[in-house]
Amino acid sequence: MELTKSNKISIIGHSIALVVGVALMIIASFYDLKISQAVGDQRSFFGQLFAVITEYPAYFAVPIAGVIIFYNYDVLDNKKAKIGIMIAGAVVIWLGWLMFGLNAQKMTELAVVPTEQEHNVLWAIFKAFFYGAFTLGIGYFLPRDTMHRLLKWAVFSLVFVIVALVVMRVMKFLWCRMRYRDMLKEGNFDGFSNWWQVMIGREKLDPSYKYTSFPSGHSSSITHLCLLWVLCDILPSLKSRKWVKPTVYAVSIILIGLTMYSRIVNCAHFLSDTVAGVYITYAIFFVLKKVFFAKDKYTYAISDRALSQEEVK
């Protein structure tokens, strides 16, 4: 079978990415600690800024997907099914904003007493309802044909976010790698472990530290920008503009690279942590994309039917 120009570019791009990833992990195998010692600076504004904003992409994807699901109620004929999909969409929106709110509080990395923590949780729950209503309001004014085209993408996004988060959590639990900033608190680097060392149970040594350095959650989250790549193949308004896709790719890759570097500067992660966070998340994205959009089929049959009915109107 003859390869298309698009396939050739994809193969070249993935090959380059694989070589770069392997090279970075080899470098990290020998110089992880030295690199952190060379560039780490917890006072860096760049590091602090990216620590705040780069964990959001994964959490933004959830309420957006919920809005799309909610407004696809009209693809179904059964009244109960319509109500069911609206409820499902609303729940996804609320959970997405709740995750966003709780995570935003966590990222301040401030020690709070239990009563303050309880208040923050309640405040996050309240904000989730407010933001949910706001996003539903915005969704009401979006074209229905766009919502129908994006239904499959919304489900894909939810599965991708969930799988990536679970994999990251499990790996953090198994590796139990000590963060560089905690070593700085200790005043020594005795707690350093290489990226290939699984240290399950290590957190019991000192409960005051979170042994969650490997892999990097922020690097994983920023990699969710890959979801925008799929939109360039789904929405006609983006697909027709040839400059959009390469621009989205380039900006995403730059932001991913800056995030990786920022996490090292912020003393939160080692080089290998950030590489693993990006590449594992992208691998999940790549596999799920092949499963969901086999043969470049980006919509469900019910979505196609709804789009056909709108064309007739």
Side-chain angles (χ1 to χ4, degrees):
M1 184 178 68
E2 186 178 352
L3 291 175
T4 64
K5 182 180 178 181
S6 177
N7 288 334
K8 289 179 181 178
I9 294 175
S10 178
I11 291 173
I12 293 172
H14 282 99
S15 298
I16 293 173
L18 180 61
V19 171
V20 170
V22 171
L24 288 175
M25 289 303 281
I26 291 174
I27 293 172
S29 298
F30 295 98
Y31 300 106
D32 243 354
L33 183 57
K34 290 182 179 179
I35 292 173
S36 290
Q37 290 173 326
V39 305
D41 180 10
Q42 290 180 282
R43 297 170 298 177
S44 167
F45 175 76
F46 167 73
Q48 293 175 8
L49 176 65
F50 270 69
V52 172
I53 65 176
T54 56
E55 200 170 358
Y56 287 158
Y59 296 99
F60 271 133
V62 177
I64 291 174
V67 171
I68 295 169
I69 292 172
F70 182 93
Y71 284 109
N72 266 279
Y73 64 87
D74 55 352
V75 302
L76 302 172
D77 296 323
N78 184 279
K79 184 176 180 181
K80 291 183 178 179
K82 289 180 183 237
I83 296 174
I85 197 171
M86 292 174 72
I87 293 174
V91 170
V92 170
I93 295 169
W94 181 77
L95 288 175
W97 283 122
L98 179 62
M99 290 167 59
F100 179 89
L102 293 175
N103 211 56
Q105 292 170 184
K106 182 192 70 176
M107 284 192 296
T108 60
E109 297 179 354
L110 297 175
V112 293
V113 297
T115 53
E116 292 177 327
Q117 183 63 44
E118 182 181 357
H119 171 73
N120 287 338
V121 171
L122 292 175
W123 179 235
I125 292 173
F126 170 78
K127 288 192 296 183
F129 282 109
F130 175 79
Y131 292 148
F134 180 72
T135 48
L136 272 177
I138 293 176
Y140 178 80
F141 295 99
L142 296 179
R144 284 296 174 268
D145 64 326
T146 299
M147 292 298 194
H148 297 328
R149 292 182 193 281
L150 292 179
L151 178 58
K152 196 173 188 178
W153 177 86
V155 177
F156 162 69
S157 299
L158 286 178
V159 174
F160 173 42
V161 169
I162 292 170
V163 173
L165 285 174
V166 169
V167 170
M168 290 297 113
R169 296 296 181 188
V170 170
M171 292 189 68
K172 284 177 178 290
F173 172 76
L174 294 175
W175 261 254
C176 284
R177 195 180 195 188
M178 191 174 189
R179 292 182 184 269
Y180 179 62
R181 63 187 176 208
D182 290 335
M183 297 178 195
L184 294 177
K185 292 178 183 178
E186 288 288 306
N188 62 71
F189 306 109
D190 296 340
F192 176 77
S193 60
N194 288 301
W195 65 266
W196 60 80
Q197 293 178 278
V198 178
M199 310 285 285
I200 186 171
R202 186 183 186 186
E203 73 280 358
K204 297 177 182 178
L205 296 176
D206 191 340
S208 64
Y209 293 143
K210 292 183 178 179
Y211 294 89
T212 55
S213 188
F214 185 89
S216 167
H218 282 71
S219 298
S220 173
S221 182
I222 198 67
T223 307
H224 282 69
L225 289 176
C226 293
L227 290 170
L228 300 178
W229 302 0
V230 185
L231 290 181
C232 295
D233 293 320
I234 298 177
L235 299 178
S237 59
L238 299 180
K239 195 173 183 178
S240 62
R241 294 173 172 82
K242 301 300 182 183
W243 58 270
V244 171
K245 192 170 184 176
T247 301
V248 171
Y249 271 63
V251 171
S252 299
I253 292 171
I254 290 171
L255 287 174
I256 289 171
L258 288 174
T259 299
M260 293 170 66
Y261 179 65
S262 74
R263 299 309 288 154
I264 303 173
V265 171
N266 198 235
C267 300
H269 292 284
F270 298 101
L271 172 62
S272 57
D273 300 333
T274 64
V275 175
V278 169
Y279 278 77
I280 292 170
T281 304
Y282 181 75
I284 295 170
F285 167 82
F286 182 81
V287 171
L288 289 176
K289 183 175 180 290
K290 290 295 183 182
V291 173
F292 269 83
F293 308 118
K295 299 180 181 180
D296 294 332
K297 179 62 177 173
Y298 292 102
T299 54
Y300 289 119
I302 55 175
S303 302
D304 293 335
R305 186 185 65 176
L307 288 168
S308 298
Q309 292 174 347
E310 287 174 4
E311 289 178 1
V312 171
K313 294 178 183 179

